[in-house]
């Protein structure tokens, strides 16, 4: 997904322009300052535009809320992140091609196309997980799906109706020897009710918890083998060493398959060696099976 989503998200920008947003009141002079500086000097980070109090999510300033508002209504676009992972803002008119900016789609058409994108990415999904994928109103998703020709499916032990995209091909065999570490943000497992119903797992991202509150690890990644989630692993990079904070496997796996997983993690991280961390977690309930 990329720039082609711009016209499909106009429904949200239109609602904010017409009905306001949940953020604090934005000062007109702050809007004018941000607009004038970016127009005159090009893309800027928030630090370039305004001084602020606090840091991270707690960062507060009139300039921040001006940028957030202008981003929400489509006047600004985030064109990249800098080396410190800060947003770089530009005027949308300078970076979004005019043919995309000039499209005027009604809400129903926006929803229909966005739902198709979401369901194609998910393969099979409920109304809730489709709505969550691109943050669409659940009622609108339900209405569109009710009139659609998508396949209706039943998942064992699930009381909900599941929908399958037309492009879904269940006849393609999967290599059951490869173990793949999934990002905790992967759409396959991100929505926890979906993760529970399809895989019987309730893995939680603990990166935002204090260290002494984590039950597994900072960045726990589910492990996919074939069509099943077989466990999880938590790793952290320390210089050129990749530390395994914790690992949990439901059943023994072949050594060669596990070594292939570790090799992939090393490649992804750019580390030269891997080792078991000496960290201990609050609840000692995880075991390793090889």
């Amino acid at each position: 997904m990329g720039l082609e989503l711009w016209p499909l998200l106009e429904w949200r920008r239109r609602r904010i322009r017409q009905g306001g947003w949940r953020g604090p009141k934005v000062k007109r002079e702050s809007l004018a300052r941000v607009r004038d500086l970016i127009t005159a000097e090009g893309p800027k980070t928030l630090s370039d535009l305004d001084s602020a109090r606090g840091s991270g999510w707690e960062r507060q300033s009139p300039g921040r809320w001006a940028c957030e508002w202008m981003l929400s209504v489509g006047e600004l676009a985030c064109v990249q992140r800098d080396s410190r992972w800060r947003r770089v803002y530009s005027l949308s008119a300078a970076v979004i091609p005019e043919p995309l900016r000039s499209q005027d789609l009604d809400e129903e058409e926006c929803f229909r196309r966005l739902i198709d994108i979401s369901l194609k990415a998910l393969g099979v999904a409920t109304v809730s997980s489709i709505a969550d994928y691109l943050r669409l109103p659940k009622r609108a998703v339900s209405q569109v799906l009710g009139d659609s020709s998508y396949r209706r499916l039943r998942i064992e032990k699930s009381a909900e109706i599941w929908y399958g995209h037309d492009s879904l091909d269940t006849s393609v065999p999967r290599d059951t020897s490869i173990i793949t570490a999934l990002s905790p943000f992967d759409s396959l497992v991100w929505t926890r009710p979906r993760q529970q119903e399809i895989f019987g797992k309730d893995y939680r991202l603990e990166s935002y918890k204090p260290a002494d509150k984590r039950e597994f690890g900072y960045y726990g990644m589910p492990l996919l083998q074939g069509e099943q989630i077989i466990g999880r692993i938590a790793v952290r990079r320390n210089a050129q060493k990749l530390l395994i904070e914790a690992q949990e496997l439901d059943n023994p796996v072949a050594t060669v398959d596990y070594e292939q997983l570790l090799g992939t993690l090393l490649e992804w991280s750019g580390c030269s060696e891997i080792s078991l961390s000496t960290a201990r977690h609050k609840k000692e309930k995880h075991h390793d099976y090889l």
Side-chain angles (χ1 to χ4, degrees):
M1 295 184 292
L3 287 177
E4 66 273 12
L5 283 182
W6 180 266
L8 303 184
L9 296 174
E10 174 59 21
W11 70 271
R12 182 178 293 142
R13 296 189 291 267
R14 186 185 299 126
R15 286 190 180 188
I16 294 173
R17 286 195 295 267
Q18 294 174 352
W21 70 333
R22 296 180 180 178
K25 186 175 181 180
V26 180
K27 298 180 179 180
R28 290 182 179 273
E29 55 269 28
S30 297
L31 292 172
R33 173 178 169 75
V34 169
R35 188 179 297 117
D36 291 345
L37 276 173
I38 294 180
T39 298
E41 301 179 13
K44 298 287 185 183
T45 67
L46 179 56
S47 297
D48 298 327
L49 295 165
D50 196 3
S51 59
R53 301 182 305 276
S55 61
W57 294 108
E58 302 302 320
R59 187 178 177 89
Q60 304 290 331
S61 75
R64 174 189 174 180
W65 299 121
C67 288
E68 293 288 347
W69 167 261
M70 296 169 76
L71 191 68
S72 298
V73 299
E75 187 174 351
L76 292 184
C78 176
V79 291
Q80 67 182 59
R81 298 273 187 168
D82 68 6
S83 60
R84 295 172 58 187
W85 203 240
R86 297 175 300 183
R87 285 176 176 172
V88 179
Y89 297 100
S90 177
L91 296 177
S92 59
V95 294
I96 306 297
E98 194 281 331
L100 293 178
R101 289 187 286 109
S102 63
Q103 289 188 38
D104 186 20
L105 305 175
D106 61 30
E107 283 199 356
E108 183 178 352
E109 179 65 11
C110 290
F111 291 147
R112 187 183 65 79
R113 293 195 196 181
L114 291 170
I115 288 169
D116 189 76
I117 290 171
S118 301
L119 186 54
K120 187 174 183 179
L122 294 168
V124 294
T126 62
V127 168
S128 296
S129 53
I130 292 171
D132 180 74
Y133 189 74
L134 288 173
R135 301 297 192 266
L136 302 175
K138 188 174 178 179
R139 179 179 295 180
V141 172
S142 182
Q143 290 175 344
V144 171
L145 290 174
D147 296 330
S148 74
S149 59
Y150 294 120
R151 285 178 284 173
R152 270 68 168 174
L153 306 170
R154 286 290 180 184
I155 301 294
E156 187 178 355
K157 297 181 181 179
S158 174
E160 293 191 71
I161 296 176
W162 291 66
Y163 295 86
H165 195 272
D166 298 336
S167 65
L168 182 65
D169 186 357
T170 58
S171 65
V172 179
R174 294 185 60 87
D175 187 338
T176 57
S177 67
I178 297 176
I179 303 175
T180 302
L182 301 174
S183 163
F185 301 101
D186 193 295
S187 59
L188 188 65
V189 294
W190 168 244
T191 305
R192 280 176 44 217
R194 169 184 170 85
Q195 180 192 128
Q196 179 70 47
E197 289 187 297
I198 295 180
F199 300 109
K201 302 295 184 182
D202 188 26
Y203 296 156
R204 305 184 182 200
L205 177 65
E206 299 184 291
S207 302
Y208 302 109
K209 289 185 177 181
D212 63 341
K213 300 293 186 181
R214 297 177 195 137
E215 297 183 3
F216 188 69
Y218 176 79
Y219 197 75
M221 295 184 289
L223 299 176
L224 177 69
Q225 185 174 35
E227 297 178 351
Q228 300 296 323
I229 300 295
I230 63 166
R232 54 182 172 168
I233 189 169
V235 297
R236 295 193 76 170
R237 178 175 176 172
N238 183 5
Q240 287 301 305
K241 183 178 290 187
L242 191 65
L243 304 178
I244 300 177
E245 285 191 311
Q247 52 188 333
E248 174 184 88
L249 297 171
D250 297 336
N251 295 294
V253 298
T255 300
V256 65
D257 297 337
Y258 184 75
E259 289 178 345
Q260 176 269 326
L261 167 66
L262 297 184
T264 300
L265 291 173
L266 280 173
E267 182 181 351
W268 286 352
S269 65
C271 292
S272 57
E273 59 179 307
I274 195 165
S275 67
L276 186 65
S277 172
T278 58
R280 291 294 181 265
H281 302 289
K282 188 176 181 181
K283 296 186 178 180
E284 299 284 351
K285 65 177 183 178
H286 302 290
H287 305 282
D288 306 333
Y289 302 93
L290 296 181

